[in-house]
């Protein structure tokens, strides 16, 4: 029951659905989400069936429901979003060794990958050279059609992509760790953020507030860049040392040349050139936010100070387990607002207005 399985090549299996699970789907970019049902497969030997209890609402769900990433990741309708999944194991295939019925588990943004490429072998399945199978809006190589995500009552996932979740954690608050958590933990670890460093987090949303919690837990001096003055008091409560209102150019310039690292989680168009000069010599700014439109970068903002502009996408399975264990040890969960699935369309509108502290999580019991 311990350790993380090394992914192996994806087994071939018959294209047959075993059962239908209740879900919420969008039929088009403008339809909103409504009741639907999705096929789930019969368990193969290495499969785990999970009854979904909670699913976080990521801004990536909204981008894809509205087909905002059409040039890179076009949406296939109907789409059932959801990749911050917490649930209980209801059944296991006969070769599954790490999970048993009743265990609390998580499923994040991927449900499979080739398992044999150089990146999969390095535990970086998110960068599978054959592209990982995303939890939703991806080709379902087993059932055919597309994969359907966690706005659903049940899901079947390969054991190697199922995570252990400690029952010590509040389970609704733990759901966002499966995407918002790992997406911020991974770059902060990769760029060795820690004591004695001044670290900026751009945007206090689902990802941003997790970035703040991890950067503080790693011992950094944390500065929040926010467009929302109303979030200042709350940011301090979350442990932020300083808040900069990013629309105030004078306030921004006072910090020129002072940051070791900046993690940019903003979901909408913004000027990267306002942040790059704030980096120290050899400082790095890493994008995790994925706005719809590309952003121009002035070369001089990189040349001067040998600044680096980088990107990062979620994290591998091994690191996701490490992050979940770190959260269990340090009592870290997301600050959430629990909603019923019937309120999902209103929640999307509020998410666009930054009107959530700081992650909506769907109580899947409401799907019944
Ligand atoms: P979110 O909860 O909506 O938070 C986004 C935050 O961005 C807002 O709270 C707001 O913070 C800030 N923001 C919004 N509009 C802005 C603007 N025009 N200029 C500057 N800041 C702005 O979204 P999320 O779920 O955290 O996701 C954030 C982004 O990361 C999305 O694009 C999402 O698709 C992407 N994402 C990427 C990965 C990955 O693997 N790289 C994984 C998950 C999500 P303030 O109010 O504080 O300004
Ligand atoms: Zn996400």
């Amino acid at each position: 029951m311990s350790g993380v399985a090394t992914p192996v090549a994806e087994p071939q299996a018959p294209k047959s659905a075993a059962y239908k699970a209740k879900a919420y789907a969008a039929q088009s970019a403008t339809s909103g989400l409504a009741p639907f049902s999705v096929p789930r497969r019969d368990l193969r030997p290495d499969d785990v069936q999970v009854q979904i209890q909670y699913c976080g609402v990521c801004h990536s769900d909204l981008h894809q429901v509205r087909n905002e990433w059409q040039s890179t990741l076009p949406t296939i309708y109907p789409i059932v979003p959801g990749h911050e999944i917490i649930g209980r194991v209801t059944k296991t295939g006969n070769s599954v060794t790490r999970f048993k019925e009743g265990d609390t588990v998580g499923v994040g943004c991927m449900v499979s990958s080739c398992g044999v490429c150089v990146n999969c072998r390095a535990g970086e399945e998110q960068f599978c050279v054959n592209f990982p199978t995303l939890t939703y809006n991806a080709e379902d190589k087993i059932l055919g059609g597309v994969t359907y995500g966690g706005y659903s009552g049940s899901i079947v996932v390969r054991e190697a992509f199922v995570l252990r979740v400690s029952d010590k954690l509040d389970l609704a608050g733990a759901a966002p760790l499966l995407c918002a958590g790992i997406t911020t933990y991974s770059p902060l670890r990769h760029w060795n953020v820690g004591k004695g460093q001044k670290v900026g987090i751009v945007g206090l949303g689902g990802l941003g507030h997790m970035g703040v919690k991890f950067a503080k837990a790693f011992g950094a001096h944390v500065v929040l860049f926010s467009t929302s003055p109303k979030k200042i008091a709350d940011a301090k409560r979350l442990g932020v040392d300083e808040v900069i209102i990013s629309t105030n150019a004078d306030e921004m310039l006072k910090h020129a040349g002072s940051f070791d690292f900046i993690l940019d989680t903003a979901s909408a168009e913004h000027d990267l050139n306002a942040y790059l000069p704030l980096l120290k010599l050899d400082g790095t700014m890493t994008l995790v936010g994925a706005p719809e439109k590309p952003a121009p970068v002035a070369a001089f903002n990189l040349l001067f100070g040998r600044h680096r502009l980088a990107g990062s996408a979620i994290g591998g399975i091994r690191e996701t387990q490490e992050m979940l264990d770190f959260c269990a040890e340090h009592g870290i969960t997301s600050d959430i607002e629990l909603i019923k699935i019937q309120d999902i369309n209103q929640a999307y509108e509020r998410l666009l207005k930054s009107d959530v502290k700081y992650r909506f999580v769907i109580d899947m019991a409401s799907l019944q």
Side-chain angles (χ1 to χ4, degrees), residues 41-363:
R41 65 176 179 256
D42 239 336
L43 265 67
R44 299 165 313 149
D46 71 337
D47 276 337
V48 176
Q49 184 191 57
V50 180
Q51 182 196 350
I52 302 174
Q53 293 168 294
Y54 300 105
C55 185
V57 178
C58 180
H59 208 112
S60 303
D61 300 348
L62 189 155
H63 286 307
Q64 288 176 86
V65 160
R66 300 192 179 181
N67 203 11
E68 291 174 355
W69 290 344
Q70 54 187 291
S71 54
T72 316
L73 201 59
T75 302
I76 304 157
Y77 294 97
I79 179 174
V80 174
H83 56 208
E84 294 184 337
I85 297 168
I86 293 276
R88 292 228 176 261
V89 173
T90 38
K91 227 193 269 180
T92 55
N94 54 26
S95 73
V96 169
T97 57
R98 294 186 304 121
F99 301 103
K100 61 176 189 329
E101 200 182 322
D103 285 353
T104 300
V105 294
V107 178
C109 301
M110 306 176 279
V111 288
S112 197
S113 71
C114 84
V116 292
C117 76
V118 62
N119 294 345
C120 284
R121 285 183 178 279
E124 305 272 19
E125 301 89 353
Q126 75 279 27
F127 303 126
C128 173
V129 299
N130 297 304
F131 207 72
T133 302
L134 300 176
T135 306
Y136 64 85
N137 195 33
E139 181 193 351
D140 187 328
K141 292 180 182 154
I142 297 159
L143 268 188
V146 290
T147 54
Y148 296 111
Y151 296 8
S152 164
S154 167
I155 193 166
V156 177
V157 180
R158 295 178 61 197
E159 176 182 24
F161 286 79
V162 177
L163 287 308
R164 281 176 282 111
V165 176
S166 167
D167 281 309
K168 278 197 277 184
L169 291 171
D170 169 67
L171 297 184
L177 300 177
L178 276 305
C179 175
I182 184 61
T183 302
T184 49
Y185 181 94
S186 181
L188 292 171
R189 282 297 197 213
H190 183 81
W191 277 278
N192 297 313
V193 162
K195 281 202 174 62
Q197 291 186 339
K198 182 171 169 183
V199 171
I201 305 286
V202 182
L204 193 66
L207 266 58
H209 92 292
M210 290 312 304
V212 165
K213 290 188 183 200
F214 287 131
K216 282 304 292 179
F218 301 162
H221 178 87
V222 179
V223 180
L224 171 72
F225 295 97
S226 181
T227 57
S228 309
K230 63 177 192 282
K231 292 182 184 171
I232 293 176
D234 220 30
K236 297 258 164 85
R237 177 188 62 81
L238 287 167
V240 165
D241 297 293
E242 292 176 71
V243 181
I244 300 174
I245 298 304
S246 51
T247 46
N248 182 334
D250 292 339
E251 212 181 319
M252 292 284 276
L253 279 175
K254 278 187 207 151
H255 295 261
S258 68
F259 281 87
D260 295 278
F261 185 75
I262 297 175
L263 185 67
D264 184 348
T265 78
S267 55
E269 212 173 342
H270 58 293
D271 185 14
L272 302 183
N273 299 297
Y275 299 91
L276 290 167
L278 310 190
L279 292 170
K280 270 183 180 166
L281 176 63
D282 288 322
T284 300
M285 172 156 163
T286 296
L287 309 181
V288 286
E292 187 175 357
K293 295 195 184 118
V297 173
F300 278 106
N301 284 332
L302 296 176
L303 306 185
F304 194 75
R306 208 158 47 203
H307 297 155
R308 283 174 287 231
L309 180 60
S312 186
I314 47 171
I317 295 297
R318 187 168 57 216
E319 194 176 36
T320 305
Q321 189 64 64
E322 175 192 306
M323 177 274 311
L324 286 167
D325 295 345
F326 180 89
C327 288
E329 196 182 321
H330 295 265
I332 295 176
T333 51
S334 194
D335 288 24
I336 64 151
E337 185 176 331
L338 197 62
I339 60 166
K340 295 191 172 103
I341 187 76
Q342 293 78 9
D343 296 329
I344 189 66
N345 294 309
Q346 275 166 282
Y348 275 24
E349 291 311 315
R350 287 183 50 198
L351 185 61
L352 278 175
K353 290 189 225 142
S354 279
D355 176 24
V356 52
K357 288 180 177 172
Y358 282 92
R359 195 58 137 191
F360 289 115
V361 171
I362 308 164
D363 181 354

